[in-house]
């Protein structure tokens, strides 16, 4: 019962913090947009003016660049500079909200919380003891909570990266119809005709803006390389190479190049679908077979040993806990590998 009240107080404190955030969000968003645009402008200005010397500054801003490259593909409505600051602000707010909520919740309890093995003694109250070091547990929970948005973004980035390799085929098909236009107009038209579900819609618009507004070739190559690295396939490199060549020499041969690229991507997709159909059972077994075996084995042991004996052996012995960690780790690794094999990238390899 004490644990239930603890969780209820914690949830109410988080609700209060969220309400305060909704009150100040409009003011912060406006200032954040101005700050993000200034940061991105100064970085781009440094690249134009100082050239190679700006690489030192980029090394100093590696966290910013790392998050920016992830959000470039992971965020559906990515905005240069603004998306990174918005992500950092929300992560910081989550950390502060969880830490303060946990700290306030512990300070309101009638005694000091002691955490033990949950399968032996659980959580107990020592009434009358001073809450020395009560900040440690809220800090630990806040750090774990603040890491969740980053790992969620990495997962979305990995998923959209695979999907983008297939969405590139649609972009190549559509762009081959507008080869009579300049490269920047071609990219803008292609982005407009792509569906909202296509993960390349925003990156293609940004790439088209780069072709329309670049001041030197280094700046253009940087943005073009960013697009090809985000997709991460040989087809993306070939697509970007055709666009860069057409920007310099004209779009006379661009249509033939895009048609050949389209044919190659179609053939590779058919090959992938054929191989995937032949190994579908093995992939499904890796995704769900291990989980089914684990559940059936655990259920059998519980039936044979009785629940109290099984849980005592599994969770109250070092051998049982060690085997549990090994089994769950192997299950997770198998699931990740099977997920990757279930839908490989559309690439030459």
């Amino acid at each position: 019962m004490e644990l239930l009240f603890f969780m209820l107080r914690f949830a109410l404190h988080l609700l209060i913090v969220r309400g305060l955030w909704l009150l100040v969000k409009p003011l912060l968003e406006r200032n954040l947009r101005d700050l993000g645009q200034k940061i991105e402008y100064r970085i781009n200005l440094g690249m134009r003016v100082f050239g190679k010397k700006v690489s030192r500054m980029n090394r100093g801003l590696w966290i910013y660049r790392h998050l920016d490259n992830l959000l470039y593909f992971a965020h559906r409505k990515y905005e240069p500079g603004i998306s990174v600051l918005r992500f950092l602000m929300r992560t910081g707010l989550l950390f502060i909200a969880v830490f303060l909520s946990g700290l306030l919740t512990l300070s309101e309890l009638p005694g000091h919380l002691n955490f033990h093995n949950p399968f032996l003694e659980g959580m107990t109250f020592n009434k009358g003891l001073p809450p020395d070091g009560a900040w440690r547990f809220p800090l630990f929970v806040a750090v774990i909570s603040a890491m969740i948005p980053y790992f969620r973004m990495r997962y979305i980035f990995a998923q959209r990266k695979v999907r983008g390799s297939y969405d590139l085929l649609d972009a190549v098909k559509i762009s081959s119809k507008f080869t009579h236009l300049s490269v920047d107009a071609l990219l803008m038209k292609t982005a407009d005709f792509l569906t909202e579900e296509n993960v390349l819609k925003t990156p293609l618009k940004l790439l088209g803006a780069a072709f329309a507004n670049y001041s030197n070739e280094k700046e253009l190559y940087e943005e073009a390389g960013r697009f090809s690295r985000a997709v991460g396939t040989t087809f993306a490199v070939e697509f970007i190479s055709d666009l860069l060549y057409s920007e310099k020499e004209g779009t006379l041969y661009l249509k033939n190049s895009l048609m050949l690229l389209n044919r190659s991507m179609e053939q590779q997709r058919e090959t992938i679908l054929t191989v995937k159909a032949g190994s579908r059972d093995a992939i499904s077994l890796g995704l769900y077979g291990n989980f089914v075996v684990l559940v059936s084995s655990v259920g059998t042991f519980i039936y044979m040993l009785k629940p109290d004996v099984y849980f005592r052996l599994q969770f109250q012995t070092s051998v049982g806990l060690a085997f549990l960690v090994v089994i769950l780790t192997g299950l997770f690794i198998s699931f990740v590998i099977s997920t990757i094999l279930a839908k490989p990238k559309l690439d030459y390899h």
Side-chain angles (χ1 to χ4, degrees), residues 69-86:
N69 290 331
L70 290 177
L71 290 168
Y72 174 77
F73 220 53
H75 200 280
R76 186 180 294 274
K77 296 181 179 180
Y78 166 80
E79 297 178 87
I82 303 172
S83 296
V84 177
L85 294 182
R86 186 180 290 119

Side-chain angles (χ1 to χ4, degrees), residues 33 36-41 44 64-65 68 72 77-85 202 206 223 226:
R33 182 173 294 275
Q37 290 175 349
K38 289 180 181 178
I39 292 176
E40 193 67 19
Y41 171 76
N44 293 333
Y64 175 87
R65 280 303 186 191
D68 191 53
Y72 174 77
K77 296 181 179 180
Y78 166 80
E79 297 178 87
I82 303 172
S83 296
V84 177
L85 294 182
T202 299
L206 295 173
E223 189 65 27
R226 187 186 191 187

Side-chain angles (χ1 to χ4, degrees), residues 71-190:
L71 290 168
Y72 174 77
F73 220 53
H75 200 280
R76 186 180 294 274
K77 296 181 179 180
Y78 166 80
E79 297 178 87
I82 303 172
S83 296
V84 177
L85 294 182
R86 186 180 290 119
F87 174 81
L88 291 174
M89 184 179 66
R90 290 177 178 174
T91 303
L93 178 66
L94 178 63
F95 173 84
I96 295 173
V98 173
F99 177 71
L100 291 180
S101 299
L103 197 62
L104 291 173
T105 303
L106 290 178
S107 65
E108 292 176 358
L109 294 176
H112 183 56
L113 278 173
N114 282 335
F115 294 91
H116 305 284
N117 188 327
F119 300 98
L120 292 175
E121 302 178 45
M123 184 178 67
T124 61
F125 289 95
N126 291 334
K127 296 184 179 180
L129 292 179
D132 295 334
W135 56 270
R136 295 193 182 108
F137 181 69
L139 180 63
F140 173 76
V141 176
V143 171
I144 297 298
S145 301
M147 294 171 63
I148 293 176
Y150 174 77
F151 287 112
R152 177 178 175 271
M153 180 176 62
R154 290 299 300 259
Y155 175 78
I156 295 174
F157 176 81
Q159 293 292 319
R160 290 171 69 88
K161 195 178 182 71
V162 175
R163 185 176 173 183
S165 65
Y166 291 87
D167 288 347
L168 182 64
L169 179 57
D170 295 332
V172 171
K173 288 180 179 179
I174 295 174
S175 60
S176 62
K177 300 177 181 179
F178 300 105
T179 52
H180 59 283
L181 302 175
S182 61
V183 176
D184 59 298
L186 176 148
L187 291 171
M188 289 298 185
K189 281 286 187 180
T190 301

Side-chain angles (χ1 to χ4, degrees), residues 183-184 211 214 220 242-251:
V183 176
D184 59 298
F211 271 93
Y214 69 95
L220 178 61
D242 290 339
L243 294 180
L244 292 174
Y245 178 83
S246 299
E247 177 69 13
K248 183 179 294 186
E249 303 295 337
T251 59

Side-chain angles (χ1 to χ4, degrees), residues 276-329:
K276 182 181 175 181
S279 57
R280 182 176 302 171
D281 295 337
I283 294 173
S284 300
L285 183 64
L287 281 172
Y288 308 108
N290 293 334
F291 181 75
V292 173
V293 171
L294 178 64
V295 172
S296 60
S297 300
V298 170
T300 303
F301 281 118
I302 291 177
Y303 176 77
M304 294 174 59
L305 300 175
K306 304 304 179 184
D308 55 343
V309 177
Y310 171 79
F311 285 111
R312 189 178 300 113
L313 293 175
Q314 184 71 75
F315 298 103
Q316 296 182 12
T317 62
S318 58
V319 176
L321 290 173
F323 273 107
L324 179 64
V325 172
V326 172
I327 291 172
L328 293 180
T329 302

Side-chain angles (χ1 to χ4, degrees), residues 195-267:
T195 62
E196 292 295 331
E197 291 75 20
N198 194 300
V199 300
L200 299 180
K201 190 176 183 68
T202 299
L204 282 174
K205 286 184 178 180
L206 295 173
L207 184 61
F211 271 93
N213 302 311
Y214 69 95
S215 59
N216 54 68
E217 290 187 351
K218 178 179 174 58
E219 182 181 346
L220 178 61
Y221 290 160
E222 182 69 24
E223 189 65 27
R226 187 186 191 187
F227 179 88
S228 63
R229 288 192 301 269
V231 180
T233 64
T234 310
F235 291 127
V237 175
E238 187 174 347
F239 177 66
I240 290 298
S241 298
D242 290 339
L243 294 180
L244 292 174
Y245 178 83
S246 299
E247 177 69 13
K248 183 179 294 186
E249 303 295 337
T251 59
L252 180 61
Y253 303 102
L254 181 59
K255 187 177 184 64
N256 292 332
S257 298
L258 292 179
M259 294 296 289
L260 290 174
L261 178 60
N262 177 45
R263 191 177 302 115
S264 298
M265 295 182 72
E266 288 282 5
Q267 292 175 353

